[in-house]
Amino acid sequence: MSERYKKVNVTCPICKKSNNLDIPSIVFSQKKIGTIKIQIPKGVVCPDHQFIIFFDSEGKVRGYEKIDISMTMPKKKDERQIMEELTLKKMMNIFGTYEFYSLIHAKIFNYPIFIVIGEDFKYSSNFLNKIANSILPERYTGGRTIHIYKETDYDSIEITTKDGLLLDVNKQILQIPWEQKLKFEENIVNKALEIIDEQEQTFVFQQIVSDFTKEAECALDILEDIDDISKKDLIKEISKRLFKPKINSYRFNLIVEFINQRFSPKFTEKIR
Ligand SMILES: [Zn+2]
């Protein structure tokens, strides 16, 4: 690979200010079909707006999407905050709010995570994998899906699947492999932040993720025994079996994503 970064001119879709960004070349070299999705935080292109930008594999801009998640914490890296124990708030300070939601999404939905770190980053991949596994229900733990690289090791990053999350802490760049909005993750974090005890926060994570995986497992059970089913009937059947109100379309799409990523798309292909 010749250049580590590719210069791309990006214009803010809201205020039209523009800036040249260094996007990791590896993002474009994955021969990915379809669009590449990159999150642009506030202050990178213009001071006021954050958004997601879509590129084709040539690096041409194909579109924009506004990020409508409220930023519960400012993005700020304070070295004094980096201590032995990683709490929720510290994690959000280190990675940034949207990046943190993306890490949670990648962990729950089993996307490999590639983090390119700065010099002041003090955590090992072992440690981060341990923390990340602690938010999952028992049967989904054990995976080592977080990989850490120094900027100088860029060329050795092996994104073995096109479906990885790439977070470059130096350049504040995040390549996102999924279509879903991160409302589910925002909700988990907000619920956890309501709790003062930091140990209890982990249990809140586990509980909410576990409620979700029960729905996904129920959907999987139904799909395993059937040749085809409509989305409407599947939602009805999940509700009946779990004695719960019917899930909405967003939740349904999350379930489909979960089954595709953790089991196989052959099940969700049965949904008409
Ligand atoms: Zn702007």
Side-chain angles (χ1 to χ4, degrees):
M1 221 179 289
S2 51
E3 293 289 326
R4 201 168 282 164
Y5 294 100
K6 186 181 166 81
K7 274 237 181 305
V8 177
N9 188 269
V10 174
T11 304
C12 170
I14 301 140
C15 69
K16 310 296 177 200
K17 285 203 177 91
S18 71
N19 196 9
N20 283 322
L21 300 189
D22 294 326
I23 311 271
S25 302
I26 193 165
V27 168
F28 299 106
S29 62
Q30 294 172 63
K31 294 192 188 71
K32 214 174 137 154
I33 306 161
T35 48
I36 296 155
K37 211 173 160 184
I38 286 172
Q39 181 242 350
I40 309 289
K42 250 183 220 178
V44 171
V45 170
C46 72
D48 301 318
H49 304 116
Q50 56 166 352
F51 50 94
I52 285 169
I53 185 160
F54 299 92
F55 295 101
D56 64 17
S57 52
E58 309 286 299
K60 284 208 183 66
V61 177
R62 290 293 176 212
Y64 299 93
E65 182 182 293
K66 270 167 61 184
I67 296 177
D68 51 6
I69 277 173
S70 59
M71 305 298 275
T72 42
M73 300 273 290
K75 177 155 184 132
K76 197 167 79 182
K77 292 189 191 96
D78 186 341
E79 276 188 57
R80 282 168 307 163
Q81 304 253 1
I82 301 184
M83 286 182 267
E84 281 298 295
E85 203 188 335
L86 258 193
T87 61
L88 196 51
K89 283 189 178 168
K90 276 180 216 147
M91 296 262 259
M92 290 172 82
N93 267 316
I94 292 167
F95 293 107
T97 307
Y98 189 85
E99 291 83 350
F100 186 59
Y101 295 162
S102 300
L103 289 168
I104 297 170
H105 188 89
K107 194 62 207 174
I108 297 172
F109 293 88
N110 205 27
Y111 295 91
I113 301 167
F114 305 90
I115 305 176
V116 178
I117 57 170
E119 287 192 351
D120 57 347
F121 194 87
K122 297 200 168 51
Y123 302 102
S124 68
S125 58
N126 266 345
F127 183 69
L128 291 181
N129 274 298
K130 206 174 126 200
I131 296 237
N133 275 321
S134 73
I135 68 164
L136 299 176
E138 189 76 37
R139 69 170 291 199
Y140 299 107
T141 60
R144 292 178 40 84
T145 51
I146 302 177
H147 311 278
I148 287 184
Y149 296 87
K150 292 196 182 101
E151 198 189 5
T152 46
D153 297 335
Y154 236 121
D155 294 340
S156 67
I157 298 179
E158 285 178 39
I159 298 192
T160 43
T161 159
K162 63 180 163 50
D163 289 326
L165 173 73
L166 175 67
L167 169 56
D168 185 329
V169 176
N170 303 301
K171 302 274 172 189
Q172 294 190 300
I173 278 170
L174 187 75
Q175 184 217 290
I176 308 153
W178 51 78
E179 301 297 323
Q180 296 282 351
K181 304 235 181 202
L182 300 173
K183 290 285 167 196
F184 177 54
E185 292 73 15
E186 183 184 23
N187 181 45
I188 303 176
V189 170
N190 287 342
K191 287 255 166 65
L193 285 173
E194 282 168 16
I195 295 172
I196 295 161
D197 185 281
E198 286 169 342
Q199 293 293 319
E200 292 286 326
Q201 287 178 344
T202 310
F203 294 117
V204 171
F205 264 84
Q206 271 176 355
Q207 194 54 55
I208 299 175
V209 176
S210 166
D211 284 347
F212 167 73
T213 60
K214 273 178 201 148
E215 289 170 16
E217 285 160 14
C218 175
L220 184 65
D221 275 346
I222 297 164
L223 290 167
E224 273 174 336
D225 296 336
I226 219 162
D227 288 332
D228 64 277
I229 187 166
S230 72
K231 174 179 166 180
K232 206 174 141 217
D233 288 342
L234 182 53
I235 290 175
K236 211 191 279 175
E237 188 62 22
I238 296 168
S239 156
K240 207 175 99 187
R241 291 195 187 186
L242 295 179
F243 306 102
K244 275 179 155 184
K246 283 187 197 163
I247 55 170
N248 62 21
S249 262
Y250 171 67
R251 187 88 166 178
F252 180 82
N253 291 338
L254 287 179
I255 288 176
V256 169
E257 186 183 5
F258 188 84
I259 294 174
N260 288 345
Q261 287 291 119
R262 290 212 171 254
F263 298 92
S264 160
K266 74 176 188 204
F267 299 108
T268 57
E269 279 160 11
K270 296 175 175 183
I271 304 167
R272 274 183 275 122

